[in-house]
């Protein structure tokens, strides 16, 4: 079994355009693979998957809200490309076995470069809108949630469902070996973060969906959220017992007790309204979202360039208006971080600096939105270089705060901003942190050195690069493109030992850039 060229091309282009997930900064080196994609594909196409042993991933504890966290994983880029290509090539086999999209809404397979692997970016809203409508004909509604779903998925369940879905044996073995590499050999759990993993997780729920349908439950599902519509309290309790039994017998899964509830229609309708993402907190947010909708046509990936937006529309995103929207979210007793993250994603589409100061000043409270805030800051348009340098100074100050110092993910996210914008600068301060930083931070500082053309500083670490971990080595190889031609060719040819198609391609790009 070998990967097809068109699937590899799709995977490389998608990852370079949209990143490998929503939780982590985009891997800068992917641009090198995109530019040399023919070389990478030539090293993979026609080869057996068993030749490409999974490489070390990165794992972080990422906040979900003010009191809860989740473990998130970023795959090594070569593994991200191969996994995305596999799902692109064989994912339709999973999709064909699933219940109708009017019943199971999450991660419906329909790959496109603009939209990604999945069909409807509005699926979450459609799920709750459909639930709202169905509740009108019900006496009692059961809402339940599978506890810690991604971390509880057995690898043998993945294996069985991939085989049932027509994945070739080699593809199944490679995916299972990848999963095992992210769980330290434990045969349970799939990584949270990579786009392609969602469809694999959905595959494991196919038998559960089928069982619930066979047992006559009138239900809707989105990922680990299950809603059952019943004609009586007695029926809803029977449904709960049935679901608990099915989950246990099928995969030893359990329901999350504190999220399992019975609702009367009037209360459930309130829940539905609160769950829909596109629910502005005030009239100002509603107005801004309307402007974004008008320019993007509702495409959540589309960006609005400064030159294309009407000046009057641009002025609507003033600092006072945007900061007041964010402050209103933060003023609530229970901050709706899901909705706030969604708002930051919309702000990233327009790139107006209106949310910059309020975000930096309140970053400690905005921790669950940090990845989205960093994406937003990286998207900002029309700021003078001197203003950017002031922003950099504020970010440096944040690195010294207790909350940022104590969390690897926070440090990584903030440092990543210095790798994308040379005007933020402050590399002298970053360089002074290098020796005492963790490996994740060191990688970002290396990339920031390249952005700031600190070639002489980078040169001092050529010897040390030999003992760097794979993620730092990847960054240093990317940075080596800054060295003079003869120097970088000698260094790469004599001191660097590429391991796999990704490293070989990155080395070739670095020597030729």
């Amino acid at each position: 079994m070998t990967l097809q060229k068109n699937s590899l091309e799709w995977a490389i282009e998608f990852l370079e355009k949209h990143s490998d997930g929503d939780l982590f900064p985009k891997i800068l080196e992917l641009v090198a693979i995109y530019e040399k994609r023919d070389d990478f594909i030539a090293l993979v196409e026609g080869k057996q998957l068993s030749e490409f042993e999974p490489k070390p991933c990165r794992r972080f504890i990422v906040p979900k809200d003010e009191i809860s966290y989740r473990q998130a994983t970023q795959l090594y880029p070569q593994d991200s490309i191969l996994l995305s290509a596999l799902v692109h090539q064989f994912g339709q086999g999973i999709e064909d076995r699933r219940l109708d999209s009017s019943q199971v809404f999450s991660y419906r397979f329909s790959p496109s470069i603009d939209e990604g692997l999945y069909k409807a970016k509005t699926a979450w809203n459609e799920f709750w809108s459909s639930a709202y409508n169905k509740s009108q004909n019900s006496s009692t509604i059961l809402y339940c949630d599978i506890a810690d779903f991604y971390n509880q998925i057995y690898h043998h369940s993945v294996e069985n469902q991939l085989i049932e879905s027509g994945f070739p044996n080699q593809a199944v073995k490679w995916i299972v070996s990848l999963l095992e590499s992210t769980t330290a050999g434990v045969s349970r759990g799939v990584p949270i973060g990579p786009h392609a993993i969602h469809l694999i997780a959905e595959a494991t729920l196919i038998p559960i969906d089928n069982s619930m349908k066979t047992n006559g439950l009138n239900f809707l599902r989105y990922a680990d959220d299950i809603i059952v519509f019943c004609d009586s309290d007695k029926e809803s309790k029977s449904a709960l017992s049935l679901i608990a039994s099915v989950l246990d017998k099928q995969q030893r899964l359990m329901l999350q007790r504190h999220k399992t509830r019975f609702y009367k229609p009037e209360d459930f309708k309130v829940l539905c309204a609160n769950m829909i993402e596109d629910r502005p907190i005030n009239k100002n947010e509603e107005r801004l979202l309307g402007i974004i909708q008008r320019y993007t046509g509702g495409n959540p990936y589309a960006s609005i360039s400064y030159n294309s937006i009407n000046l009057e529309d641009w002025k609507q995103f003033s600092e006072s208006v945007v900061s007041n929207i964010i402050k209103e979210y933060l003023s609530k007793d229970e901050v709706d971080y899901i909705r706030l993250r969604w708002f930051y994603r919309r702000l990233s589409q327009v790139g107006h600096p209106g949310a910059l100061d309020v975000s930096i000043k309140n970053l400690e409270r905005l921790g669950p939105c940090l990845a989205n805030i960093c994406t937003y800051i990286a998207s900002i348009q029309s700021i003078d270089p001197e203003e950017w340098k002031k922003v950099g100074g504020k970010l440096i100050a944040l690195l010294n705060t207790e909350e940022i110092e104590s969390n690897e993910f926070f440090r990584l996210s903030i440092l990543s901003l210095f790798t994308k914008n040379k005007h933020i600068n402050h590399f002298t301060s970053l360089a002074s942190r290098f020796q005492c930083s963790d490996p994740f931070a060191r990688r970002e500082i290396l990339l920031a050195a390249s952005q700031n053309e600190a070639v002489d500083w980078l040169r001092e670490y050529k010897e040390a690069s030999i003992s760097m971990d794979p993620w730092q080595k990847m960054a240093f190889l990317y940075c080596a493109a800054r060295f003079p031609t003869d120097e970088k060719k000698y260094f790469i040819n004599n001191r660097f030992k590429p391991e796999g198609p990704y490293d070989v391609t990155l080395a070739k790009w670095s020597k030729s850039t």
Side-chain angles (χ1 to χ4, degrees):
M1 177 266 146
T2 60
L3 281 166
Q4 294 175 356
K5 182 178 181 179
N6 70 309
S7 290
L8 288 164
E9 287 176 334
W10 186 93
I12 293 169
E13 184 174 355
F14 174 74
L15 290 171
E16 197 284 324
K17 189 172 183 179
H18 299 298
S19 189
D20 56 345
D22 297 324
L23 299 175
F24 297 99
K26 183 178 177 181
I27 296 172
L28 292 183
E29 297 91 330
L30 280 169
V31 69
I33 307 305
Y34 178 74
E35 291 179 5
K36 292 285 186 182
R37 55 192 177 278
D38 289 341
D39 295 281
F40 178 86
I41 291 169
L43 294 168
V44 175
E45 187 184 15
K47 305 291 194 306
Q48 298 298 310
L49 273 174
S50 56
E51 295 182 30
F52 310 120
E53 186 176 338
K55 305 194 78 171
C57 63
R58 304 199 293 181
R59 304 184 78 181
F60 298 90
I61 300 299
V62 179
K64 291 179 69 176
D65 52 42
E66 289 183 296
I67 60 172
S68 64
Y69 290 79
R70 60 183 167 186
Q71 197 171 63
T73 301
Q74 187 170 38
L75 300 176
Y76 195 81
Q78 177 173 294
D79 295 330
S80 286
I81 294 170
L82 297 181
L83 178 63
S84 299
L86 279 170
V87 170
H88 179 270
Q89 188 167 328
F90 299 108
Q92 191 61 46
I94 296 174
E95 181 63 27
D96 290 343
R97 297 178 56 234
R98 301 177 70 188
L99 296 185
D100 191 81
S101 59
S102 63
Q103 187 164 20
V104 175
F105 289 77
S106 43
Y107 305 109
R108 305 307 305 217
F109 182 73
S110 181
S112 73
I113 288 298
D114 289 333
E115 297 292 329
L117 283 167
Y118 308 112
K119 192 172 187 178
K121 300 305 175 187
T122 57
W124 176 255
N125 286 357
E126 291 170 6
F127 169 65
W128 285 104
S129 296
S130 181
Y132 180 95
N133 292 331
K134 288 177 74 70
S135 69
Q136 298 183 57
N137 300 315
S138 303
S139 172
T140 305
I141 299 97
L142 167 64
Y143 174 44
C144 46
D145 177 279
I146 302 172
D148 199 24
F149 173 48
Y150 276 40
N151 288 323
Q152 301 305 318
I153 296 173
Y154 278 110
H155 295 171
H156 77 263
S157 297
V158 172
E159 183 177 10
N160 291 341
Q161 292 309 310
L162 293 182
I163 292 170
E164 284 288 318
S165 301
F167 277 59
N169 186 49
Q170 266 206 35
V172 175
K173 286 184 176 180
W174 188 87
I175 290 172
V176 171
S177 71
L178 175 66
L179 299 182
E180 289 176 347
S181 76
T182 68
T183 58
V186 177
S187 61
R188 193 170 194 169
V190 301
I192 296 171
H195 289 301
I197 286 294
H198 296 307
L199 189 65
I200 292 172
E202 289 291 329
T204 67
L205 290 177
I206 290 174
I208 291 169
D209 290 337
N210 290 341
S211 183
M212 290 193 294
K213 183 176 181 180
T214 300
N215 279 283
L217 294 187
N218 181 12
F219 75 96
L220 300 177
R221 182 177 67 76
Y222 187 100
D224 52 6
D225 289 324
I226 303 169
I227 301 174
V228 186
F229 305 90
C230 306
D231 292 330
S232 66
D233 291 349
K234 182 179 179 181
E235 182 185 333
S236 66
K237 290 176 182 177
S238 296
L240 176 59
S241 176
L242 174 64
I243 292 172
S245 176
V246 167
L247 290 173
D248 178 63
K249 290 177 180 177
Q250 291 277 0
Q251 292 189 41
R252 293 292 186 264
L253 295 171
M254 298 177 64
L255 291 174
Q256 196 154 204
R257 188 178 185 280
H258 76 275
K259 282 192 174 181
T260 299
R261 285 191 60 184
F262 299 101
Y263 287 89
K264 289 302 178 184
E266 56 273 17
D267 296 324
F268 184 74
K269 289 172 185 176
V270 174
L271 174 68
C272 291
N274 289 335
M275 285 294 185
I276 292 174
E277 284 183 322
D278 193 2
R279 53 184 195 283
I281 199 167
N282 57 33
K283 291 293 183 182
N284 282 332
E285 184 185 0
E286 184 177 7
R287 186 176 72 256
L288 298 187
L289 294 178
I291 294 171
I292 295 171
Q293 169 79 18
R294 193 165 73 247
Y295 281 91
T296 64
N299 182 347
Y301 287 122
S303 297
I304 308 167
S305 72
Y306 177 70
N307 292 329
S308 68
I309 190 169
N310 179 282
L311 183 58
E312 288 304 312
D313 287 336
W314 181 260
K315 288 179 179 178
Q316 297 297 311
F317 293 83
S318 67
E319 182 176 346
S320 62
V321 169
V322 178
S323 63
N324 284 335
I325 292 170
I326 293 170
K327 287 176 181 177
E328 186 165 345
Y329 274 108
L330 294 177
S331 69
K332 304 298 181 184
D333 292 336
E334 190 171 330
V335 180
D336 188 348
Y337 285 106
I338 293 175
R339 184 65 189 76
L340 192 49
R341 285 193 288 266
W342 189 88
F343 181 58
Y344 270 109
R345 289 198 291 271
R346 302 291 74 77
L347 288 178
S348 298
Q349 291 183 270
V350 71
H352 191 286
L356 184 56
D357 282 347
V358 68
S359 300
I360 291 176
K361 288 176 182 176
N362 293 277
L363 202 58
E364 292 185 17
R365 288 206 64 202
L366 289 166
C369 304
L370 187 57
N372 306 99
I373 291 171
C374 289
T375 300
Y376 159 70
I377 293 175
S379 77
I380 290 175
Q381 310 175 71
S382 74
I383 287 188
D384 293 332
E386 283 304 310
E387 287 300 312
W388 271 123
K389 194 165 185 179
K390 292 177 184 177
V391 171
K394 293 175 182 178
L395 294 173
I396 290 290
L398 278 172
L399 289 171
N400 296 323
T401 61
E402 183 179 350
E403 184 169 15
I404 303 301
E405 281 189 337
S406 64
N407 188 295
E408 289 177 331
F409 175 72
F410 287 172
R411 292 198 301 277
L412 166 73
S413 299
I414 291 174
L415 285 169
S416 71
L417 293 170
F418 292 88
T419 73
K420 298 179 175 68
N421 186 336
K422 67 180 180 181
H423 299 304
I424 294 179
N425 205 313
H426 293 275
F427 184 71
T428 300
S429 176
L430 296 181
S432 68
R433 297 169 179 267
F434 186 79
Q435 291 294 350
C436 60
S437 292
D438 60 72
F440 303 127
R442 285 188 175 196
R443 168 180 157 77
E444 301 305 317
I445 294 172
L446 289 170
L447 293 170
S450 176
Q451 180 66 255
N452 287 274
E453 301 180 14
V455 177
D456 292 327
W457 182 87
L458 283 166
R459 185 176 287 115
E460 295 171 11
Y461 288 93
K462 285 200 298 186
E463 294 294 327
S465 68
I466 298 170
S467 58
M468 290 177 179
D469 67 52
W471 286 81
Q472 288 183 75
K473 281 184 179 178
M474 175 186 12
F476 197 85
L477 185 56
Y478 176 83
C479 296
R482 292 283 189 182
F483 295 153
T485 301
D486 290 344
E487 180 183 0
K488 65 185 175 186
K489 285 184 177 179
Y490 180 84
F491 167 71
I492 293 170
N493 290 337
N494 294 279
R495 305 305 298 271
F496 180 77
K497 295 181 180 179
E499 299 178 3
Y502 182 88
D503 292 350
V504 170
T505 306
L506 182 57
K508 189 170 185 177
W509 174 87
S510 188
K511 286 190 289 185
S512 64
T513 298

